[in-house]
């Protein structure tokens, strides 16, 4: 399988190449040259198989010769063997039409574990094969950081520098990152927002002088391998609810558009998806883009769902490219316009190409709190603020009554205990496997969100070289 950049002028790479590259050298994002297709019979044949087996089947066509089927099967078994629930991604019924897909049973209680546990293994595999080292640099609005750190802590060939916006992530999220004491892990708290951190990281990837010194890799969802691992649970869940004979809808609490884009990929491969609901909080750039074509960044408003507090959604470019005719030069021009003015208008093709599958709903803090309260009261389930935004959107979207609607439960409620307690009166306990988190020592430096300060710190501490 070959991969092309959304901006048309980076080298075409294979799966191993895109996994290690992260962002393309022209500033774009990698996508497969074409979408592999599964027939109805191939999809039906996956029903009832263990999660790690389905993972290998869904990922194999994208991986091509980069891994043998046997080796891929070993890696999926190892990655998903670390989850605390035997089903890996269990499904919970709420009422006649609504389900929760629980994505938070990984080592750091974040849905991001599902992808990053796999990515950590792929890095180790490909780097040892090439006898290379990789310096990972990432920015996190909360959950990516802890999941990425857990996925690579102590692994050979990789080191990780993780930026987070100081004071804007929960205490559980912070401690899950800063209490990891592996020597290949560096935590950096920056003054500023997640977008400031992400902008600095993006700039590092475009800095040729820096790339001559360090081999940089990405763990943000700009990494294709990470997105790919997320395609799997759309298949396992839809199969449980009657696919491929019966279409299923998904409501996805969305930030960087990685998770919901994985749903789009599943649909492109032949999985019958009735609707993908892009649920946003008041930071609603995606809702404005999908409902009236206005993709313009405003100020970030901090909310109780910090993983969705972003105004620039990197992976949206993948959708715009794929729906907009796959014209790399046009995409590069459109994104250059956005980068200079922080605003752009979707083309007619981009709007019509996304209109059938996607819909978007903006959820305000009240809707979020009510969803937590009602789910507790009527279903006996405690959900986190991000999941609540997805569930409120799931209840508001207009769909036929016989279409099952699955809300992706993206974080364990214990990670956002204060917000959950405010809404429901219940303070969810931390699972015992991370129960002593606050007793552990923290390790973190504070830096301004300034590009030069961050680069200097990375250069001073990085062990790997290009
Ligand atoms: C990362 C995250 C999201 C958003 O996912 P994207 O792939 O960035 O859209 C939603 N909820 C939680 C809890 C997250 O950690």
């Amino acid at each position: 399988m070959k991969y092309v950049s959304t901006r048309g002028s980076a080298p075409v790479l294979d799966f191993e190449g895109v996994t290690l590259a992260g962002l393309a050298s022209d500033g774009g994002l990698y996508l497969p040259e074409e979408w592999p297709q599964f027939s109805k019979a191939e999809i039906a044949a996956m029903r009832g198989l263990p999660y790690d087996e389905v993972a290998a089947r869904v990922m194999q066509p994208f991986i091509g010769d980069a891994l043998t089927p046997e080796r891929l099967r070993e890696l999926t078994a190892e990655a998903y063997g670390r989850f605390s629930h035997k089903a890996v991604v269990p499904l919970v019924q709420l009422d006649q039409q609504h389900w929760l897909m629980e994505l938070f049973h990984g080592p750091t209680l974040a849905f991001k574990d599902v992808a990053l546990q796999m990515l950590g293994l792929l890095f180790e595999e490909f780097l040892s094969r090439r006898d290379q080292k990789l310096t990972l640099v990432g920015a996190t609005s909360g959950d990516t950081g802890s999941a990425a750190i857990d996925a690579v802590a102590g692994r050979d060939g990789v080191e990780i520098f993780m930026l987070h916006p100081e004071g804007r992530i929960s205490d559980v999220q912070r401690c899950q990152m800063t209490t990891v004491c592996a020597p290949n892990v560096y935590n950096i708290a920056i003054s500023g927002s997640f977008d400031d951190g992400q902008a600095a990281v993006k700039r590092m990837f475009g800095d040729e002088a820096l790339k001559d010194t360090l081999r940089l890799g990405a763990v943000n969802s700009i990494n294709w391998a990470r997105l790919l691992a997320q395609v799997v649970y759309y298949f396992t869940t839809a199969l449980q609810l009657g696919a491929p004979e019966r279409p299923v809808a998904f409501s996805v609490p969305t930030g960087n558009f990685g998770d919901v884009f994985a749903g789009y990929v599943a649909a492109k491969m032949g999985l019958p998806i009735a609707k993908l609901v892009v649920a946003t909080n008041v930071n609603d750039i995606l809702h404005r883009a999908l409902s009236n074509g206005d993709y313009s960044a405003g100020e970030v408003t901090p909310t109780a769902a910090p993983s969705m507090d972003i105004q620039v959604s990197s992976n949206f470019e993948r959708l715009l490219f794929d729906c907009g005719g796959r014209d790399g030069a046009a995409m590069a021009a459109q994104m250059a316009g956005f980068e200079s003015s922080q605003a752009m208008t979707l083309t007619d093709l981009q709007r019509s190409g996304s209109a059938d599958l996607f819909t978007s709903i903006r959820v305000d803090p009240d809707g979020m709190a009510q969803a937590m309260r009602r789910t507790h009261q009527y279903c006996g389930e405690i959900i986190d603020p991000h999941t609540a935004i997805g569930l409120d959107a799931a209840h508001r979207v207009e769909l036929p009554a016989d279409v099952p609607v699955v809300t992706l439960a993206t974080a364990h409620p214990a990670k956002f205990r204060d917000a959950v307690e405010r809404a429901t009166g219940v303070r969810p306990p931390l699972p015992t496997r991370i129960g002593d988190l606050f007793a552990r020592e923290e390790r973190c430096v504070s830096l301004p969100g300034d590009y030069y300060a961050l680069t200097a710190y990375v250069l001073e501490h990085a062990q790997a070289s290009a």
Side-chain angles (χ1 to χ4, degrees):
M1 172 66 78
K2 297 248 178 300
Y3 290 84
V4 296
S5 164
T6 51
R7 300 198 191 170
S9 54
V12 171
L13 297 176
D14 67 2
F15 181 74
E16 181 179 322
V18 291
T19 300
L20 295 177
L23 199 68
S25 60
D26 57 5
L29 302 165
Y30 275 108
L31 272 188
E33 215 164 39
E34 65 207 37
W35 299 115
Q37 298 298 309
F38 282 166
S39 67
K40 253 188 161 179
E42 284 170 311
I43 294 173
M46 293 191 278
R47 183 176 296 130
L49 295 178
Y51 188 89
D52 56 334
E53 171 76 42
V54 178
R57 290 200 192 187
V58 171
M59 290 195 263
Q60 184 67 59
F62 293 93
I63 291 175
D65 300 333
L67 292 172
T68 63
E70 297 72 37
R71 185 64 188 138
L72 175 59
R73 192 65 186 73
E74 285 168 12
L75 294 181
T76 59
E78 186 177 346
Y80 299 113
R82 293 194 63 201
F83 280 61
S84 65
H85 197 297
K86 277 275 184 206
V88 183
V89 177
L91 199 56
V92 172
Q93 185 164 16
L94 295 178
D95 61 31
Q96 202 52 36
Q97 192 173 15
H98 292 274
W99 278 262
L100 289 176
M101 187 207 292
E102 290 188 347
L103 291 164
F104 52 71
H105 295 281
T108 74
L109 313 180
F111 100 83
K112 293 180 172 73
D113 289 322
V114 182
L116 286 165
Q117 287 295 320
M118 192 65 206
L119 186 64
L121 294 174
L122 291 171
F123 279 146
E124 201 172 48
E125 177 87 5
F126 295 149
L127 289 167
S128 73
R129 188 188 285 178
R130 294 181 170 201
D131 197 21
Q132 284 179 351
K133 292 198 185 310
L134 189 67
T135 303
L136 300 173
V137 185
T140 182
S141 53
D143 281 4
T144 306
S146 46
I149 286 171
D150 187 276
V152 303
R155 288 204 183 280
D156 286 340
V158 273
E159 59 190 348
I160 184 162
F161 291 84
M162 186 52 67
L163 281 54
H164 69 264
E166 188 153 24
R168 296 204 194 172
I169 63 176
S170 77
D171 51 355
V172 177
Q173 287 179 317
R174 189 189 71 247
C175 287
Q176 281 186 314
M177 296 195 282
T178 57
T179 62
V180 176
C181 60
N184 64 338
V185 172
Y186 301 87
N187 280 291
I188 304 171
I190 62 159
S191 46
S193 69
F194 165 70
D195 286 341
D196 296 330
Q198 179 158 263
V201 170
K202 271 202 137 182
R203 199 164 152 192
M204 283 187 204
F205 281 96
D207 182 335
E208 291 305 324
L210 185 65
K211 282 197 296 193
D212 285 344
T213 319
L214 296 176
R215 188 186 312 282
L216 292 179
V219 287
N220 279 7
S221 50
I222 54 176
N223 191 302
W224 169 257
R226 192 178 141 185
L227 274 188
L228 175 56
Q230 297 180 238
V231 177
V232 176
Y233 45 72
Y234 287 92
F235 277 90
T236 56
T237 299
L239 279 161
Q240 289 179 67
L241 294 174
E245 284 75 29
R246 185 191 193 203
V248 176
F250 295 91
S251 178
V252 188
T254 298
N256 236 341
F257 209 75
D259 204 4
V260 73
F261 188 77
Y264 173 79
V265 174
K268 284 281 166 186
M269 295 171 74
L271 187 69
I273 294 183
K275 217 39 145 186
L276 290 171
V277 183
V278 175
T280 77
N281 62 20
V282 294
N283 297 294
D284 63 351
I285 182 170
L286 287 168
H287 173 56
R288 284 182 284 114
L290 288 165
S291 54
N292 58 36
D294 163 30
Y295 190 81
S296 58
E299 283 292 302
V300 177
T301 306
T303 73
S307 294
M308 301 164 71
D309 289 348
I310 60 183
Q311 283 287 355
V312 179
S313 256
S314 331
N315 285 293
F316 198 51
E317 181 172 339
R318 287 189 155 112
L319 180 71
L320 297 181
F321 175 74
D322 201 51
C323 285
R326 286 200 161 224
D327 180 342
M331 197 70 236
Q334 194 179 14
M335 291 311 296
F338 176 74
E339 275 153 27
S340 67
S341 66
Q342 293 296 296
M344 65 186 181
T345 306
L346 272 51
T347 65
D348 289 346
L349 199 56
Q350 287 166 339
R351 291 189 68 179
S352 61
S354 52
D356 280 348
L357 191 55
F358 289 94
T359 189
S360 65
I361 293 182
R362 174 195 199 266
V363 176
D364 64 20
D366 224 39
M368 177 188 77
Q370 278 189 31
M372 284 193 271
R373 197 153 41 240
R374 283 207 207 100
T375 311
H376 177 229
Q377 192 175 350
Y378 297 115
C379 314
E381 294 287 332
I382 300 283
I383 59 174
D384 99 290
H386 303 79
T387 307
I389 288 170
L391 190 58
D392 189 55
H395 280 288
R396 282 163 51 193
V397 69
E398 279 175 37
L399 283 168
D402 61 347
V403 172
V405 188
V406 179
T407 297
L408 277 63
T410 50
H412 193 291
K415 288 192 96 165
F416 300 94
R417 293 178 295 170
D418 295 340
V420 171
E421 188 175 13
R422 270 198 303 279
T424 65
V426 176
R427 190 165 180 81
L430 280 178
T432 44
R433 67 203 147 103
I434 62 158
D436 70 338
L437 192 63
F438 296 112
R440 299 178 206 161
E441 193 182 329
E442 290 190 63
R443 217 164 48 109
C444 182
V445 296
S446 292
L447 290 176
D450 162 76
Y451 178 69
Y452 298 98
L454 294 167
T455 314
Y457 181 84
V458 172
L459 279 171
E460 189 188 331
H461 293 87
Q463 304 286 317
S465 56

